Amino acid sequence: MRNAIVLAAGKGTRMKSETSKLMHPIIDRPMLGYIIDALRAVHVNRIVIVVGYQAQSIMDAYPDCEFAMQMPQLGTGHAVMQCKQLENEQGQTVIINGDGPCIQPETLENLFKANENASCTLLTSVLEDGAHYGRIVRDENGDVQAIVEAKDCNEDQKLIREINAGMYCFNNQDLFKNLHLLQPNNKQNEYYLTDMVKILASQGKKVNGIVIENRDEVMGINDCVELHKAYEWMTNRINTNWMKEGVQIIDPKRTMIGKDVVIGHDVVIYPNVEITGKTVIGNHVTIYGNSTIQDSIIEDGACIDNSKVVNSVVQKNQKVGPFEFKNGNGLNIKNV
């Protein structure tokens, strides 16, 4: 049994927005949507989203998930305490922050597998400077003994370069049987989920730490500057993958392609093009600059020239544009 808890209750004050931070879009969906997609890709059975600020907007957007309310918000450990619907489940539970949309299914799969014979496995990263991140304290055998939050580090611990990447996989029963041991004995007066590592290690249970190679994959988003950084990371990853598959993207930095888009071979995409939604691009297609394609099928040999195509089918060898707006009025491309 695979479960997941997504922490999504905070306001995200540094976004300076009335909208929940996790509902801010990247390319063609809210940042939270990428995390849900990744969890679904590794066959998580139950996804519980911990909500608080603007809770209804999140619940309306993801009705196929489960929810737990955290009001007031007294830390990450307190957030997990609210997920009472999982306390009798067996198997493993991943806990992830809702503001980390770059996480990939392969990393989640590695996390689940690494925890098959452990009580807890956490992702870590090695930095030149640990800065404001929690430090990983290991014993002489390399097993993780504790995570010490930056605000609570002594001088020696501040020198540790391995930091907490903020993603965990727990044996679900070990997690819920020990949540009551968390105490708000810290400068924030909050219940830290990170304290669970020390609790489990003190009981002789195995705690793993696996280093993630690409630190950007677990970047957290706190403001619009970091939101843009995540957008750049995603678009670069998507566009690079398509170019490796033979798609000629003239200027990748000025091309936006959604993660669900499918593209054939011998396709040329000029600058200032946006392709999003469930769009399928056939073979030998040319898409000239300043074009937008959303939830459409572009058949083999077609040409889109400085136009907008929405919910439509562009037939084989057909040319659209320049300066056209083709709208299929709600066409469900899944049924085409």
Side-chain angles (χ1 to χ4, degrees), residues 117-257:
N117 296 309
S119 181
C120 173
T121 300
L122 53 137
L123 286 184
T124 75
S125 184
V126 177
L127 305 179
E128 288 300 320
D129 179 2
H132 59 279
Y133 297 101
R135 306 308 203 270
I136 304 299
V137 179
R138 294 180 183 261
D139 64 14
E140 62 276 7
N141 297 318
D143 291 329
V144 177
Q145 295 299 296
I147 303 172
V148 182
E149 296 295 332
K151 296 175 183 178
D152 301 311
C153 282
N154 60 36
E155 292 304 313
D156 289 337
Q157 291 166 339
K158 287 179 181 178
L159 299 176
I160 296 174
R161 296 172 54 217
E162 185 178 15
I163 60 95
N164 177 27
M167 190 179 304
Y168 319 87
C169 185
F170 287 92
N171 175 288
N172 193 70
Q173 286 300 297
D174 287 348
L175 172 64
F176 280 93
K177 286 179 180 178
N178 288 284
L179 275 176
H180 71 281
L181 297 176
L182 294 177
Q183 297 295 325
N185 299 326
N186 51 68
K187 294 181 180 180
Q188 300 297 106
N189 294 316
E190 293 183 347
Y191 296 88
Y192 289 162
L193 180 64
T194 50
D195 288 344
M196 187 62 65
V197 171
K198 186 175 182 179
I199 290 170
L200 295 176
S202 68
Q203 296 174 1
K205 298 183 184 294
K206 184 172 181 57
V207 179
N208 292 327
I210 56 176
V211 178
I212 188 166
E213 293 183 6
N214 189 337
R215 178 72 181 90
D216 285 342
E217 190 181 330
V218 289
M219 74 171 80
I221 296 173
N222 294 297
D223 57 29
C224 289
V225 174
E226 293 174 344
L227 186 70
H228 178 66
K229 182 179 178 181
Y231 166 82
E232 287 187 317
W233 189 89
M234 285 188 186
T235 54
N236 179 65
R237 181 182 178 88
I238 292 170
N239 293 347
T240 298
N241 285 343
W242 280 120
M243 288 188 289
K244 289 180 178 178
E245 292 297 318
V247 176
Q248 185 180 355
I249 301 177
I250 304 298
D251 188 346
K253 290 186 177 180
R254 291 192 287 160
T255 303
M256 185 177 80
I257 302 173

Side-chain angles (χ1 to χ4, degrees), residues 242 245-248 263-268 281-285 300-301:
W242 280 120
E245 292 297 318
V247 176
Q248 185 180 355
I263 306 176
H265 61 78
D266 293 289
V267 172
V268 182
I281 307 292
N283 305 319
H284 301 281
V285 170
D300 294 353

